[in-house]
Amino acid sequence: MINVCVNGYGTIGKRVADAAKAHSKIRLVGVSKYSADADASIARMQGIDVFVPKESAGAFESKGVEVSGTVEELLDKADSIVDASPDGVGRKNRVVYEEKGKKAVFQGGEEAGIGLSFNARSNFEKALNQNFIRVVSCNTTGYCRILKPLTERYKIKHVFASLIRRGADLNDAKGSQLNSVEWKAKSHHASDVQSVIDVPMSSIAFKVPHTHSHINSMFIEFDGEKPGKDDIYELFRNERVALLNTAATSSQIVEAARDLGLKRYDIFMPCLLVNTYMANGNSVFLSFAVPQESIVVPENIDAIIAQNSAMSREESMRTTDKLLGIPDIKEKLEKAFS
Amino acid sequence: MINVCVNGYGTIGKRVADAAKAHSKIRLVGVSKYSADADASIARMQGIDVFVPKESAGAFESKGVEVSGTVEELLDKADSIVDASPDGVGRKNRVVYEEKGKKAVFQGGEEAGIGLSFNARSNFEKALNQNFIRVVSCNTTGYCRILKPLTERYKIKHVFASLIRRGADLNDAKGSQLNSVEWKAKSHHASDVQSVIDVPMSSIAFKVPHTHSHINSMFIEFDGEKPGKDDIYELFRNERVALLNTAATSSQIVEAARDLGLKRYDIFMPCLLVNTYMANGNSVFLSFAVPQESIVVPENIDAIIAQNSAMSREESMRTTDKLLGIPDIKEKLEKAFS
């Protein structure tokens, strides 16, 4: 068993903790919490051990949240630490982990230099025995899952990527513009994808005021043969990608996930919006939606497995997929939006 | 003088009425109003004669809105009718105008068959003496103003157009989604542009929850030479297009227009977001913002002039530009966001 802890129990951390708890090769030794809030209470209700800064223990106990020890003690218990701290904090934590001789998995909000940029489908083998791995961000993960199979079958000359970002996550109460569209030319996504797979790419991001799903559009120029619509279905049949043909709004996808009874309406996959397919000459336009809160969860689990060399890529991805219900979610969403 | 009336005093109608009133060759004989609301009161405050359905006169008078006659009488007074009715109503009105032997200018919400699809820069000459003209919609107008100069200087192989639509106009209280992103594959914009200029094009539209500006992105594949960033400045120096290099949000553009004291913060021009320029091989990515409420106003005025053969294209566009302050707005915005 691999002893794993989650340092930073927020949007990503809470989901990775759930998945780690359910994994046959992983023992979740606990999570860190820095404020005695509802998240801490609910973690305890779900049987997760909570570790807190020494000086905060009183605040947790007085709220009726049982504390299992200090954050320091939590880190000491782990073989691998999933660092899901706020952006930039992982960089400071890395020093601590290194001193303790611990392995760690960081998130895409950290700078690329913090560890091997990772996507399970694209470079699992490179991550074997790596002490520090960085799971790339949600959109970059979506691009890697989609572009990697494409590059294996077709020759891509260039990708222009244009992203419609959600303004804030559902649990955010601030941090987003209310009415405006905000754009960032030369967004990090192109270089981030290129830290994982070799593909010529440029990207731009537009931030808009909604909470669910990033919507990505790719304008791909192929060198020679390009995929037709049917080829897309064939190519992604066994990938961590759902193929939706009749969805017309992001809310329809969220509603379907709620109706299917999925915890937190997480679907863990980019949804290729097949009805957005357009082609001309050697070029293809194609859009996909990214469930920004959950898409990186499978990669966090696979990164733990890889850095502890516990399974092969195929076995790890199959195991992770099964415990998260990915093939079942994929099948049902594809049927619902066929 | 050309006697002009505006039938449908809404978002477009009220702006065209203002412009018509200020034009040296046009006499605004009045506008039609179908409900006795604030718009009707304010029209009167600004010296515009209001004509209403016979049966509604009482409602207007009791609200203190002076009525100048019936809608029927208004139409009879006009040489050219600007029909700014809700989408689809223009089609029914056309029968009435035809019976009365009147000329009319319709809006882009009507089907293409209603009259000559029109953009001043692209096909003014075709509109000379045309009884029925259709000013294409706001985004199509933006595309025409930008693509026409490009096609004159470069050879375009294909344009993929991806549009981030505003969810509603500022004066709308309903009709938009609150949180979702909605997409429409194969949106009308490509075929609509092609009804005016000859350019291979495909388009898609994503609707998001904000009120100001559509944001359009073009992925243009050129046959041979492509424009560099400097060429863009040169090409649009004297066009009805503003070139912004440092704007990063749609709200900044709106705020600048308010600070400049522009009525209703109208700028009448697409804003080319020069900082979004990306290039690869023979392809260019470029985005532009469309002030959806005001961009078609110049075209409505030019259409009136054209269908009454009152001026040449150059004279008409120069006159319209001057009365709306377009060169001045362009210069100030370009300086502010240089």
Side-chain angles (χ1 to χ4, degrees):
Chain A
M1 295 292 269
I2 311 162
N3 291 312
V4 169
C5 77
V6 172
N7 191 17
Y9 189 73
T11 301
I12 294 176
K14 62 172 79 169
R15 289 169 166 84
V16 174
D18 277 0
K21 215 156 64 100
H23 198 290
S24 60
K25 297 272 188 192
I26 296 173
R27 178 186 300 116
L28 180 72
V29 295
V31 305
S32 70
K33 274 297 301 174
Y34 295 82
S35 50
D37 55 15
D39 278 355
S41 286
I42 295 175
R44 282 302 306 133
M45 290 176 206
Q46 308 200 339
I48 293 171
D49 288 343
V50 172
F51 294 74
V52 310
K54 205 170 194 168
E55 63 280 14
S56 310
F60 283 82
E61 303 283 4
S62 73
K63 211 190 164 257
V65 176
E66 186 191 343
V67 171
S68 299
T70 66
V71 174
E72 177 97 24
E73 287 165 351
L74 174 68
L75 302 181
D76 287 337
K77 281 171 175 279
D79 304 312
S80 278
I81 299 161
V82 174
D83 188 297
S85 317
D87 292 359
V89 176
R91 189 172 54 86
K92 296 170 200 156
N93 291 344
R94 188 187 192 276
V95 182
V96 179
Y97 306 156
E98 216 163 5
E99 279 171 11
K100 290 187 179 291
K102 301 292 180 182
K103 295 175 175 176
V105 176
F106 298 95
Q107 308 307 315
E110 302 301 325
E111 283 170 16
I114 201 167
L116 175 81
S117 289
F118 177 78
N119 170 260
R121 175 64 173 80
S122 306
N123 66 350
F124 184 96
E125 285 77 11
K126 270 197 186 167
L128 292 169
N129 295 315
Q130 286 280 349
N131 284 341
F132 296 116
I133 295 176
R134 168 181 171 261
V135 171
V136 290
S137 67
C138 55
N139 288 305
T140 306
T141 297
Y143 277 111
C144 289
R145 290 209 199 145
I146 289 164
L147 290 174
K148 183 66 179 175
L150 276 171
T151 58
E152 288 172 351
R153 174 70 185 78
Y154 302 92
K155 191 160 164 41
I156 292 180
K157 218 165 165 180
H158 186 262
V159 180
F160 278 121
S162 174
L163 163 54
I164 305 177
R165 292 181 78 89
R166 59 91 181 94
D169 283 343
L170 186 69
N171 65 338
D172 287 337
K174 57 180 181 180
S176 173
Q177 80 278 26
L178 179 64
N179 187 29
S180 189
V181 175
E182 182 180 356
W183 49 92
K184 192 172 181 186
K186 299 188 181 52
S187 65
H188 71 280
H189 304 94
S191 60
D192 217 18
V193 168
Q194 289 169 327
S195 73
V196 180
I197 56 180
D198 182 25
V199 60
M201 187 166 172
S202 319
S203 65
I204 186 168
F206 297 91
K207 199 166 159 189
V208 304
H210 74 286
T211 63
H212 43 67
S213 303
H214 298 294
I215 309 285
N216 293 275
S217 292
M218 305 178 292
F219 297 74
I220 313 177
E221 198 182 344
F222 291 91
D223 196 351
E225 198 199 354
K226 68 171 187 291
K229 216 166 164 176
D230 291 346
D231 300 321
I232 299 287
Y233 280 102
E234 186 53 37
L235 196 62
F236 293 98
R237 191 174 302 280
N238 297 309
E239 301 288 343
R240 275 178 186 163
V241 175
L243 300 152
L244 313 190
N245 192 40
T246 56
T249 71
S250 55
S251 50
Q252 290 174 340
I253 302 174
V254 169
E255 181 74 352
R258 294 163 76 202
D259 289 341
L260 290 172
L262 304 182
K263 184 170 180 181
R264 302 184 181 106
Y265 62 76
D266 288 346
I267 60 174
F268 307 111
M269 276 172 286
C271 296
L272 260 181
L273 309 171
V274 188
N275 52 350
T276 65
Y277 178 95
M278 299 189 286
N280 180 72
N282 291 322
S283 298
V284 166
F285 176 100
L286 192 57
S287 303
F288 62 95
V290 165
Q292 73 275 0
E293 298 164 305
S294 65
I295 188 175
V296 297
V297 174
E299 261 65 21
N300 271 275
I301 299 299
D302 291 329
I304 297 166
I305 297 297
Q307 74 180 177
N308 291 284
S309 296
M311 292 178 179
S312 70
R313 173 167 77 93
E314 288 70 19
E315 197 186 348
S316 178
M317 289 186 70
R318 199 170 51 240
T319 304
T320 305
D321 283 354
K322 201 174 164 195
L323 80 87
L324 293 172
I326 287 178
D328 186 53
I329 298 170
K330 175 176 159 75
E331 190 187 335
K332 285 174 175 162
L333 286 180
E334 291 183 350
K335 190 170 181 183
F337 294 106
S338 65
Chain B
M1 294 291 269
I2 310 163
N3 291 313
V4 168
C5 76
V6 172
N7 192 17
Y9 189 74
T11 301
I12 295 175
K14 63 173 78 167
R15 289 168 166 84
V16 174
D18 277 0
K21 216 156 63 99
H23 198 291
S24 60
K25 297 271 187 192
I26 296 175
R27 177 186 300 117
L28 180 72
V29 295
V31 305
S32 70
K33 274 297 301 174
Y34 295 82
S35 50
D37 55 15
D39 277 355
S41 286
I42 295 176
R44 281 302 306 134
M45 289 176 207
Q46 307 198 339
I48 293 171
D49 288 343
V50 173
F51 294 74
V52 309
K54 203 170 196 169
E55 63 278 14
S56 309
F60 282 82
E61 303 283 4
S62 73
K63 211 188 163 257
V65 177
E66 185 192 345
V67 171
S68 298
T70 66
V71 175
E72 176 97 25
E73 287 164 350
L74 175 69
L75 301 182
D76 288 336
K77 282 171 176 280
D79 304 312
S80 279
I81 300 161
V82 174
D83 188 295
S85 318
D87 292 359
V89 176
R91 189 172 53 86
K92 295 171 201 156
N93 291 344
R94 188 187 192 276
V95 182
V96 179
Y97 305 156
E98 217 163 2
E99 279 171 9
K100 290 185 181 291
K102 300 291 179 183
K103 295 176 175 176
V105 175
F106 298 94
Q107 309 306 314
E110 303 300 323
E111 284 171 15
I114 203 167
L116 175 81
S117 289
F118 176 78
N119 170 260
R121 176 65 173 79
S122 306
N123 66 352
F124 184 96
E125 286 76 11
K126 270 197 185 166
L128 293 169
N129 295 316
Q130 286 280 348
N131 284 341
F132 296 116
I133 295 176
R134 168 181 172 260
V135 171
V136 290
S137 67
C138 55
N139 287 303
T140 306
T141 297
Y143 277 112
C144 289
R145 290 207 201 148
I146 289 164
L147 290 174
K148 183 66 179 176
L150 276 171
T151 58
E152 288 172 350
R153 174 71 185 76
Y154 302 93
K155 190 160 163 43
I156 293 180
K157 218 166 166 180
H158 186 263
V159 180
F160 278 121
S162 174
L163 165 55
I164 304 177
R165 290 180 78 90
R166 58 90 181 95
D169 283 343
L170 187 69
N171 65 338
D172 286 337
K174 58 180 181 181
S176 173
Q177 79 280 24
L178 179 64
N179 188 29
S180 189
V181 175
E182 181 181 356
W183 49 92
K184 191 170 182 188
K186 300 188 180 53
S187 65
H188 71 279
H189 305 93
S191 60
D192 217 18
V193 169
Q194 290 169 326
S195 73
V196 181
I197 55 180
D198 182 24
V199 61
M201 188 167 173
S202 320
S203 65
I204 187 169
F206 296 91
K207 199 166 158 186
V208 305
H210 74 285
T211 63
H212 43 66
S213 301
H214 298 294
I215 309 286
N216 293 275
S217 292
M218 305 178 293
F219 297 75
I220 312 178
E221 199 181 343
F222 291 90
D223 195 352
E225 197 198 354
K226 68 172 187 291
K229 215 166 164 176
D230 290 345
D231 301 320
I232 299 287
Y233 281 102
E234 185 53 37
L235 197 62
F236 293 99
R237 191 174 302 280
N238 296 310
E239 301 287 343
R240 276 178 186 164
V241 174
L243 300 152
L244 312 190
N245 192 39
T246 56
T249 71
S250 54
S251 50
Q252 290 174 341
I253 303 173
V254 169
E255 181 74 352
R258 293 164 77 202
D259 289 341
L260 290 173
L262 304 182
K263 184 169 180 181
R264 303 185 181 104
Y265 61 77
D266 287 346
I267 61 175
F268 308 110
M269 277 171 286
C271 295
L272 259 181
L273 309 171
V274 188
N275 51 349
T276 66
Y277 178 94
M278 299 189 285
N280 180 72
N282 290 324
S283 299
V284 166
F285 175 100
L286 193 56
S287 303
F288 62 94
V290 164
Q292 73 275 0
E293 298 164 305
S294 65
I295 189 176
V296 298
V297 174
E299 261 65 21
N300 270 275
I301 299 300
D302 291 329
I304 296 166
I305 297 298
Q307 74 180 178
N308 291 285
S309 296
M311 291 177 180
S312 69
R313 173 167 78 91
E314 289 69 20
E315 196 186 350
S316 178
M317 290 185 69
R318 198 170 52 240
T319 304
T320 306
D321 283 353
K322 200 173 166 197
L323 80 88
L324 293 171
I326 287 177
D328 185 54
I329 298 170
K330 174 175 160 75
E331 189 186 338
K332 286 175 175 162
L333 286 178
E334 291 183 350
K335 188 168 181 185
F337 294 105
S338 65

